Amino acid sequence: MICYMDWSYDHTRPMNDPTAPSNRKFLRLVKGWGELLPQFGFYDYPTDYIHYSPYGQVMKLREDLPLIRELGVTLTLIEGQPVLAPSALNLYICSRLQYDVTEDADVLMEEFFNRFHGPAAELMRKYWLAAEYYTATLRPGPGAQDRVTRIPRMWIELDGYLREAEALVSDLPLSQQRFRDRVEFQR
């Protein structure tokens, strides 16, 4: 089992991104062990285990999970944290790509937005994609989870989407209570 630790490797970029120097070392390790071992595991942290804040990882996962399969990984273990709200999208994408790495991550995200957020899908799409944007536009390097939480404009933007979504779902009928609950859960 090889572990893709955020504190040692760059989770702002896919592991094969040439702008992420720490990931080049990790990619060499995966390639080398993948050639040697008949069974080989990959352990990743696509959730924020430090701050429990939104942590955009889809741009990384969509590249990394198919790549590791190609490089010989036979088992993936994705760590989920006890606070689901900030990690729901990442965990959904992970679970689906672990099952079938050929699935289209964009289609999966749309499925998540619509099924999980219902009438608030468009606002919550903006919310989740903003989290992706702020993580992806960080300067490359380890410790992205800590660095992304220190961007005040991200929090202001995310709060705006949540406020609009809360207003949108506030008067939903009881049959759609789950969508109100999910926006509240995200808050």
Side-chain angles (χ1 to χ4, degrees):
M1 179 80 60
I2 191 166
C3 187
Y4 196 22
M5 302 161 292
D6 172 75
W7 54 91
S8 295
Y9 303 108
D10 186 353
H11 279 207
T12 68
R13 310 284 186 277
M15 71 176 70
N16 61 354
D17 187 318
T19 68
S22 63
N23 292 358
R24 285 194 291 259
K25 175 185 175 189
F26 186 77
L27 185 57
R28 277 194 318 274
L29 292 171
V30 172
K31 284 179 179 178
W33 285 110
E35 291 171 5
L36 293 173
L37 300 173
Q39 291 188 327
F40 181 36
F42 172 78
Y43 193 106
D44 197 5
Y45 300 90
T47 58
D48 187 343
Y49 55 88
I50 296 172
H51 305 287
Y52 299 117
S53 66
Y55 183 45
Q57 292 292 283
V58 174
M59 47 69 194
K60 182 180 93 55
L61 296 166
R62 72 181 330 132
E63 302 291 328
D64 287 351
L65 293 176
L67 177 61
I68 61 165
R69 175 70 55 88
E70 192 178 298
L71 297 176
V73 167
T74 56
L75 166 77
T76 53
L77 182 59
I78 302 299
E79 183 167 312
Q81 297 302 319
V83 179
L84 176 62
S87 305
L89 177 60
N90 296 340
L91 295 174
Y92 183 76
I93 298 299
C94 279
S95 66
R96 295 294 299 270
L97 290 179
Q98 283 178 295
Y99 183 75
D100 180 358
V101 296
T102 66
E103 288 205 67
D104 184 326
D106 291 324
V107 170
L108 295 176
M109 284 193 300
E110 289 304 314
E111 181 180 283
F112 173 83
F113 302 144
N114 290 306
R115 288 185 175 179
F116 196 72
H117 295 298
E122 184 56 35
L123 290 165
M124 295 309 292
R125 174 187 294 108
K126 291 177 182 179
Y127 174 92
W128 290 108
L129 293 179
E132 286 291 318
Y133 169 82
Y134 285 106
T135 302
T137 56
L138 285 172
R139 181 181 302 246
Q145 291 172 331
D146 186 47
R147 294 184 292 129
V148 76
T149 63
R150 297 173 194 219
I151 304 171
R153 70 184 182 280
M154 178 186 79
W155 294 110
I156 293 166
E157 184 175 347
L158 295 180
D159 180 61
Y161 296 134
L162 284 178
R163 284 178 190 272
E164 287 185 63
E166 288 164 339
L168 183 67
V169 299
S170 65
D171 294 326
L172 289 177
L174 190 56
S175 63
Q176 294 187 337
Q177 171 78 33
R178 67 190 178 281
F179 300 121
R180 186 170 48 247
D181 292 346
R182 290 170 184 168
V183 170
E184 183 181 325
F185 181 61
Q186 195 59 44
R187 167 65 69 193

